[in-house]
Amino acid sequence: MKQSYKQFVIRDWQKSDRSSAAEVIRRVLEEYGLPWQPEEADRDVIEVETAYFGTGGEFWVVETEGKIVGTAAYYPVKRDSKEVEIRKMYLLPQVRGQGLGKYLLQKLEKAIANKGFKVIYLETASVLKEAVILYEKNCYQPMTEVATARCDRSYYKKLNRLNSS
């Protein structure tokens, strides 16, 4: 996958992206006072091949001027019922406010629907106010269960045929 949005290139993660993508996520988490947990919640960023590609998911990076400035990913959580979790959707501060988050979310939803998945889950933290607003504006419904310690919000969205067109 490779596509453009304004001055950004969104493409599939490659092995050479491992440290740069992890650094983007670490920086955004620390900006909001959240811990970077490479042995726990962020282990999937270190082990992209296993966590995403090995399970039927995808991991994308966002570049501008040859530098990675964002990430977005998903992987299946329950194969029988066609459910996925959106993960690692992070943008550096200098690229926020340009519609990139909304664009990424729409592209993730389309990719997920095109693979036949029916339900999307995600977790976030209240301090990530922009993310909470984005998900709620895009019809994600709150849930009570949260599996990740640093997160205090979870959402789901059921996909329908309209999402896959």
Side-chain angles (χ1 to χ4, degrees), residues 75-93:
Y75 56 52
V77 289
K78 294 180 183 170
R79 287 188 182 272
D80 293 344
S81 53
K82 297 290 190 176
E83 300 172 344
V84 300
E85 181 177 352
I86 288 180
R87 300 198 31 95
K88 307 306 179 205
M89 197 163 136
Y90 293 103
L91 297 171
L92 290 177

Side-chain angles (χ1 to χ4, degrees), residues 137-155:
K137 278 187 175 179
N138 284 277
C139 303
Y140 283 79
Q141 302 300 312
M143 298 173 23
T144 54
E145 310 89 41
V146 179
T148 308
R150 71 174 175 227
C151 296
D152 62 356
R153 290 178 176 250
S154 62
Y155 294 90

Side-chain angles (χ1 to χ4, degrees), residues 34-89:
L34 297 169
W36 162 247
Q37 300 172 317
E39 299 300 319
E40 297 170 32
D42 300 310
R43 186 178 192 104
D44 57 328
V45 177
I46 308 302
E47 300 174 354
V48 171
E49 297 92 338
T50 306
Y52 294 93
F53 304 147
T55 62
E58 295 186 64
F59 195 107
W60 303 340
V61 295
V62 181
E63 286 181 322
T64 188
E65 299 175 6
K67 293 188 189 278
I68 294 177
V69 295
T71 60
Y74 71 89
Y75 56 52
V77 289
K78 294 180 183 170
R79 287 188 182 272
D80 293 344
S81 53
K82 297 290 190 176
E83 300 172 344
V84 300
E85 181 177 352
I86 288 180
R87 300 198 31 95
K88 307 306 179 205
M89 197 163 136

Side-chain angles (χ1 to χ4, degrees), residues 2-157:
K2 185 174 182 178
Q3 53 191 277
S4 297
Y5 174 78
K6 297 184 179 180
Q7 74 271 28
F8 304 102
V9 173
I10 301 150
R11 63 169 176 79
D12 290 326
W13 179 95
Q14 300 167 359
K15 284 183 182 184
S16 59
D17 299 326
R18 191 178 320 276
S19 60
S20 297
E23 179 62 14
V24 166
I25 294 165
R26 184 195 64 76
R27 285 177 54 194
V28 173
L29 288 169
E30 289 181 357
E31 172 191 354
Y32 287 92
L34 297 169
W36 162 247
Q37 300 172 317
E39 299 300 319
E40 297 170 32
D42 300 310
R43 186 178 192 104
D44 57 328
V45 177
I46 308 302
E47 300 174 354
V48 171
E49 297 92 338
T50 306
Y52 294 93
F53 304 147
T55 62
E58 295 186 64
F59 195 107
W60 303 340
V61 295
V62 181
E63 286 181 322
T64 188
E65 299 175 6
K67 293 188 189 278
I68 294 177
V69 295
T71 60
Y74 71 89
Y75 56 52
V77 289
K78 294 180 183 170
R79 287 188 182 272
D80 293 344
S81 53
K82 297 290 190 176
E83 300 172 344
V84 300
E85 181 177 352
I86 288 180
R87 300 198 31 95
K88 307 306 179 205
M89 197 163 136
Y90 293 103
L91 297 171
L92 290 177
Q94 65 266 29
V95 300
R96 293 183 201 141
Q98 301 179 54
L100 183 56
K102 181 178 179 179
Y103 180 82
L104 280 171
L105 185 60
Q106 290 171 342
K107 290 299 172 185
L108 283 169
E109 288 178 358
K110 186 172 184 174
I112 289 165
N114 286 341
K115 284 192 172 182
F117 294 105
K118 304 293 183 201
V119 182
I120 299 172
Y121 294 100
L122 60 88
E123 292 183 347
T124 192
S126 295
V127 295
L128 299 168
K129 291 178 176 46
E130 299 94 337
V132 171
I133 291 167
L134 175 67
Y135 299 135
E136 290 181 354
K137 278 187 175 179
N138 284 277
C139 303
Y140 283 79
Q141 302 300 312
M143 298 173 23
T144 54
E145 310 89 41
V146 179
T148 308
R150 71 174 175 227
C151 296
D152 62 356
R153 290 178 176 250
S154 62
Y155 294 90
Y156 76 96
K157 181 176 185 177

